[in-house]
Amino acid sequence: MGNNESKGLTLTEKIIKNHIIDGEMIKGTEIGLRIDQTLTQDATGTMAYLQFEAMGIDRVKTERSLAYIDHNTLQSGFENADDHRYIGSVAKKHGIYFSRPGNGICHQVHLERFGKPGKTLIGSDSHTPTGGGIGMLAMGAGGLDVAVAMGGGAYYITMPKVVKVNLTGKLNDWVSAKDVILKVLQIMSVKGGVGKVIEYCGEGVKSLSVPERATITNMGAELGATTSIFPSDETTLAFLKAQDREEDFVALSADPDAVYDEEINIDLSELVPMAACPHSPDNVKTVKEIGAIKIDQVCIGSCTNSSLQDMLKVAHILKGKTVHPDVSLSIAPGSKQVFNMLADCGALSILIGAGARILESACGPCIGMGQSPNSKGISLRTFNRNFLGRSGTKDGQIYLVSPETAAISALTGVFTDPRLAGDMPPYVMPEKFLINDNMVVPPASTEEAPNVEVLRGPNIKPFPVNVPLAEDIKAEVSLKVGDNITTDHIMPAGAKILPLRSNIPAISEYCFTVCDETFPTRAKELGKSIIVGGANYGQGSSREHAALAPLYLGVKAIICKSFARIHRQNLINNGILPLCFVDEADYDKIDRDDVLELPGIRNAIENGTEITVKNITKGTEYKVTCELSERGKGMMLAGGLLNYTKHNK
Ligand code: MIC
Ligand code: SF4
């Protein structure tokens, strides 16, 4: 129990205490957690299941594991369909529930139908913290970590600091959950949450519904936080009842004398409509400050804002109106449940009538799968990420906003503060949701499972596995990049590239091409190389491909100022050295093509001694660190988690 022996516990600590199976609850040290539930989506799922198969375990050992299909639903070639078929069959064989394409976005469906307060969930997607809206400790992880958890292994994190966000007051009309998280992003920035869990408390919590809480915990991913969580209370119970899942409820909250590491106070009644401006989720301004700029596109949906409540609000705003002639409005309901209920209550007809382009329940435009804006187009989206190029249009200008701001602006054709629209149209939330899980396929029974054939189309290729760490490394700098490099820079998404997620050799051809088109060729020619980066390297998604593609291209180490949590773990899981400058000023002293040497690196990792980087080209030296737990060291020496697990069986 470390330093918290006699004090009250935060909600985060309570759930950790119930799940810790390795290490001690001492902040900053590594702990291993028992994982109750896992989820994957198709874009990371193929790798996770290939890795699970490589571990040779017959059945998943979790309480519930699900495989969702929501990212690559645009089937413009055989690839995505091959992936879906592979995932469906591998899930059936190994005890995993399969959410078929069309059933909705993983986080939305999981919240509605499977998430349980007090449980642990890891998902191969960085927005898994959506589950925090229902009081779960829900974390994004690399596919390999999910594979290990499915096999019954612990999930390792650094025992987090806990930040209390004390909510008081009540949101005014036209201001919504999105504005709350945009405010938190403005306060904390995209790297402010690293190593921390954001815990929401205070009487303001009561006025937020579960989907609203989930919007806030979902976008906590953009803070770089380990996760975010809300208490489980009467509102949670009402939500679970409406989902016919009353039995999943437990009341959960922090002890009144819980001790937090940081505290932020937000008065909900003082918040106003906000937007994250291009190209970072923390580049937040009020809508009023931005002014009435002309817009080209509005997209409503994504795992952040696609609940029934969001959609009903939008429908009521659009009722009897027409989308501005210069604006394309697309709407993707988050799940089949939401879609079905919109149809049943007539709201779908209102949306269609207003001229919205209705998309299937999937990630769609959020991940650049369709609806890319026009050149230099200004697009307002209810999503969570607006990284450069992510929309599929390199010079697209993406603003992240609430559904209210999005809907009103779609009507006016200019960025509009929704409070200017007068009274907010009333909408009524139904007491019961429409329950129909017919698109979730249960796995085969233990008896039938051996007869299930795993279907592998030509798109499914083996994944690269690293070799044990060399005694010394000498390699050229193949790329030098700046601060806040996202996984979208390292391994871009989009309709052309996403279908290659199960084909590492093919997808590697796009690695870092957003920054430098010649990188893949140069790295391959060099055979082995090192990348130099700035602060918060690898922020954003959990995609393991941002480690697997560099591994395939021969990258041995990343030297930078600091790393984002999930990406750093993905590097370690794949045996790529994550090194940090001791003196950040050394970053400026290295250029591309410099030859660097890491003499005695294996020994230094093994014994935790100082690491020196010699710049042969410049005749200088730098000190770097590589903080690793004992297990992390084991993985680095073995050349990644799979090798390590094999040796330690
Ligand atoms: C994203 O929002 O960037 C994604 C696509 O959902 C990723 C997962 C992926 O790259 O497949 C994420 O957030 O982890
Ligand atoms: Fe899908 Fe976008 Fe959510 Fe990622 S952020 S899971 S791409 S909807």
Side-chain angles (χ1 to χ4, degrees):
M1 278 295 307
N3 47 8
N4 264 328
E5 207 105 49
S6 56
K7 297 177 200 123
L9 297 181
T10 63
L11 174 53
T12 308
E13 287 160 346
K14 287 186 186 181
I15 303 182
I16 291 179
K17 194 175 164 202
N18 282 337
H19 289 86
I20 189 163
I21 46 178
D22 198 359
E24 278 189 65
M25 288 173 61
I26 301 171
K27 285 175 189 151
T29 65
E30 191 174 65
I31 53 169
L33 298 176
R34 178 171 47 79
I35 296 302
D36 302 319
Q37 299 189 341
T38 64
L39 70 80
T40 58
Q41 38 86 343
D42 47 314
T44 53
T46 47
M47 275 304 134
Y49 295 115
L50 286 169
Q51 287 156 339
F52 182 76
E53 287 187 293
M55 287 162 38
I57 296 169
D58 286 344
R59 300 286 283 186
V60 290
K61 302 210 163 58
T62 42
E63 287 175 16
R64 179 79 79 156
S65 285
L66 280 117
Y68 293 93
I69 306 290
D70 52 6
H71 280 61
N72 300 348
T73 50
L74 216 61
Q75 289 162 229
S76 50
F78 66 94
E79 294 89 347
N80 292 343
D82 271 11
D83 287 358
H84 302 172
R85 211 169 57 133
Y86 164 69
I87 294 174
S89 60
V90 85
K92 192 167 189 185
K93 192 172 183 74
H94 295 288
I96 300 147
Y97 286 75
F98 178 58
S99 170
R100 295 165 61 185
N103 197 42
I105 305 177
C106 56
H107 309 303
Q108 177 65 28
V109 178
H110 205 84
L111 185 79
E112 291 166 354
R113 306 299 308 139
F114 302 103
K116 294 185 186 180
K119 298 284 180 183
T120 50
L121 162 71
I122 65 166
S124 62
D125 191 281
S126 61
H127 291 102
T128 306
T130 313
I134 205 168
M136 303 189 90
L137 194 74
M139 294 159 288
L144 192 46
D145 287 318
V146 175
V148 168
M150 286 192 291
Y155 176 56
Y156 286 84
I157 57 167
T158 305
M159 178 67 200
K161 289 186 178 164
V162 187
V163 180
K164 175 180 187 173
V165 180
N166 189 34
L167 300 178
T168 52
K170 209 170 167 283
L171 291 171
N172 286 316
D173 276 357
W174 298 112
V175 185
S176 68
K178 184 61 154 283
D179 302 306
V180 180
I181 186 61
L182 288 173
K183 182 73 196 173
V184 179
L185 271 153
Q186 189 179 44
I187 298 172
M188 293 185 72
S189 91
V190 287
K191 38 183 195 281
V194 177
K196 302 173 190 169
V197 173
I198 318 297
E199 204 172 296
Y200 291 84
C201 322
E203 37 83 40
V205 164
K206 286 198 202 112
S207 63
L208 299 170
S209 68
V210 167
E212 286 173 323
R213 296 174 186 185
T215 293
I216 296 172
T217 59
N218 168 286
M219 212 173 160
E222 275 53 65
L223 299 164
T226 305
T227 189
S228 305
I229 190 166
F230 272 83
S232 169
D233 57 10
E234 257 137 60
T235 310
T236 322
L237 176 60
F239 177 80
L240 285 169
K241 267 192 190 159
Q243 291 285 357
D244 251 342
R245 300 205 286 126
E246 200 178 334
E247 67 286 1
D248 292 341
F249 177 72
V250 279
L252 293 169
S253 59
D255 289 330
D257 57 344
V259 181
Y260 290 88
D261 297 282
E262 279 171 49
E263 197 168 328
I264 294 175
N265 290 304
I266 295 182
D267 181 350
L268 296 175
S269 64
E270 278 178 7
L271 295 182
V272 297
M274 318 244 225
C277 304
H279 297 285
S280 181
D282 62 354
N283 189 9
V284 175
K285 293 199 176 110
T286 64
V287 173
K288 205 168 153 198
E289 270 174 301
I290 296 168
I293 50 177
K294 200 171 161 2
I295 61 172
D296 301 289
Q297 186 191 46
V298 173
C299 300
I300 298 177
S302 94
C303 58
T304 319
N305 276 122
S306 60
S307 66
L308 183 68
Q309 192 177 358
D310 287 332
M311 295 291 151
L312 288 179
K313 277 192 225 172
V314 170
H316 280 76
I317 295 170
L318 298 184
K319 195 168 181 176
K321 314 246 167 62
T322 304
V323 174
H324 189 277
D326 298 337
V327 175
S328 159
L329 166 67
S330 72
I331 299 182
S335 67
K336 169 170 160 284
Q337 182 183 72
V338 174
F339 216 150
N340 235 329
M341 290 181 76
L342 288 175
D344 282 357
C345 74
L348 184 60
S349 168
I350 297 175
L351 300 176
I352 297 170
R357 302 167 67 181
I358 309 295
L359 308 178
E360 71 174 311
S361 291
C363 301
C366 179
I367 193 59
M369 297 297 276
Q371 307 301 317
S372 300
N374 53 289
S375 306
K376 300 200 174 74
I378 297 194
S379 177
L380 266 54
R381 300 177 161 208
T382 64
F383 306 170
N384 50 34
R385 289 190 171 145
N386 59 348
F387 302 140
L388 186 68
R390 181 176 164 99
S391 64
T393 301
K394 271 195 177 164
D395 52 9
Q397 306 288 309
I398 313 298
Y399 292 79
L400 307 173
V401 297
S402 70
E404 289 86 339
T405 304
I408 291 286
S409 303
L411 295 175
T412 58
V414 292
F415 223 120
T416 306
D417 186 327
R419 292 172 303 170
L420 299 176
D423 287 345
M424 176 135 142
Y427 63 92
V428 185
M429 279 296 287
E431 262 174 35
K432 282 265 165 214
F433 289 97
L434 192 155
I435 316 290
N436 179 0
D437 292 327
N438 64 345
M439 293 294 276
V440 179
V441 187
S445 66
T446 330
E447 296 75 53
E448 290 162 38
N451 304 325
V452 174
E453 190 196 344
V454 177
L455 304 167
R456 283 170 233 276
N459 196 40
I460 316 282
K461 293 276 187 302
F463 57 92
V465 179
N466 214 336
V467 292
L469 184 63
E471 297 297 337
D472 314 281
I473 291 177
K474 187 174 175 190
E476 252 179 60
V477 176
S478 50
L479 187 70
K480 184 175 176 186
V481 288
D483 287 348
N484 293 325
I485 284 296
T486 71
T487 47
D488 279 287
H489 290 104
I490 308 173
M491 200 61 265
K496 203 162 107 200
I497 309 177
L498 269 182
L500 304 173
R501 282 289 181 91
S502 23
N503 186 342
I504 299 295
I507 206 168
S508 298
E509 295 298 325
Y510 297 92
C511 185
F512 268 120
T513 46
V514 187
C515 304
D516 179 346
E517 281 188 8
T518 58
F519 171 73
T521 320
R522 185 168 58 255
K524 262 196 275 178
E525 269 168 23
L526 288 171
K528 61 178 176 201
S529 68
I530 293 174
I531 293 174
V532 174
N536 199 23
Y537 180 91
Q539 69 159 325
S541 100
S542 66
R543 64 189 69 147
E544 221 160 22
H545 302 77
L548 286 167
L551 166 65
Y552 178 79
L553 295 172
V555 174
K556 300 291 172 202
I558 315 284
I559 311 180
C560 63
K561 294 181 185 171
S562 63
F563 289 94
R565 177 185 76 91
I566 307 177
H567 184 62
R568 181 175 190 273
Q569 194 57 48
N570 283 338
L571 290 172
I572 298 172
N573 285 353
N574 287 290
I576 299 177
L577 284 163
L579 305 174
C580 287
F581 290 108
V582 170
D583 181 0
E584 290 192 357
D586 286 339
Y587 167 85
D588 298 317
K589 300 179 190 152
I590 306 184
D591 290 308
R592 209 195 87 187
D593 302 336
D594 284 359
V595 177
L596 305 183
E597 205 179 339
L598 294 157
I601 182 67
R602 187 176 173 89
N603 195 34
I605 293 290
E606 198 159 7
N607 300 310
T609 49
E610 209 172 58
I611 308 170
T612 307
V613 179
K614 289 191 172 165
N615 188 328
I616 307 289
T617 312
K618 302 226 159 50
T620 46
E621 278 188 12
Y622 326 106
K623 295 268 174 275
V624 294
T625 52
C626 187
E627 276 179 32
L628 292 169
S629 63
E630 279 311 309
R631 183 170 166 272
K633 274 184 198 172
M635 284 195 260
M636 273 319 312
L637 296 173
L641 178 53
L642 271 186
N643 294 342
Y644 176 74
T645 315
K646 270 186 209 145
H647 295 161
N648 287 278
K649 253 192 186 162

